[in-house]
Amino acid sequence: QVQVVESGGGLVQAGGSLRLACAVSGRSISNYAIGWFRQAPGKEREFVAAINWNGGSTYSPGSVKGRFTISRDTAKNLVYLQLNSLNPEDTAVYYCATGENPLPGTWDYWGQGTQVTVSS
């Protein structure tokens, strides 16, 4: 019933930007947290960013702070991930998830991912 669909991935040169979108249906993003994760080939899934239910708090690791920004459009029930200053190490499948809280173990619905490839 709850569906999560990512979009916006693609091929970009190092230093470029992309904006990913996460469309959530069957669940209001105003009532749940939304998170972005990524997984590169041969790597474990990595937390990228999250936003809480009211948009008042965002979370991201130091590796992406200053480059990646999570935001939302509640009217469209969309969450975005702005990727700036991309480098080849950012190449991964980026996944969106929704859950009760932006905490480990709380993400109950996931999208299929969108591929981001950064060339050097």
Side-chain angles (χ1 to χ4, degrees), residues 33-106:
I34 305 295
W36 284 96
F37 303 79
R38 67 184 182 184
Q39 188 167 22
K43 302 287 187 65
E44 296 290 330
R45 185 181 64 192
E46 177 187 16
F47 171 72
V48 174
I51 189 166
N52 76 335
W53 67 275
N54 67 3
S57 298
T58 60
Y59 312 84
S60 62
S63 59
V64 303
K65 284 184 178 179
R67 298 193 301 122
F68 295 179
T69 303
I70 189 169
S71 61
R72 69 178 191 170
D73 183 340
T74 56
K76 298 179 179 179
N77 217 47
L78 292 173
V79 177
Y80 302 100
L81 183 67
Q82 180 69 42
L83 311 176
N84 294 328
S85 301
L86 288 164
N87 58 67
E89 289 67 43
D90 296 316
T91 295
V93 177
Y94 284 70
Y95 298 92
C96 182
T98 179
E100 289 283 333
N101 296 287
L103 299 169
T106 66

Side-chain angles (χ1 to χ4, degrees), residues 100-113:
E100 289 283 333
N101 296 287
L103 299 169
T106 66
W107 310 103
D108 53 353
Y109 292 95
W110 294 77
Q112 293 299 304

Side-chain angles (χ1 to χ4, degrees), residues 4-26:
V4 181
V5 180
E6 305 93 337
S7 63
L11 175 64
V12 63
Q13 290 189 335
S17 299
L18 287 171
R19 188 174 75 161
L20 310 182
C22 174
V24 180
S25 61

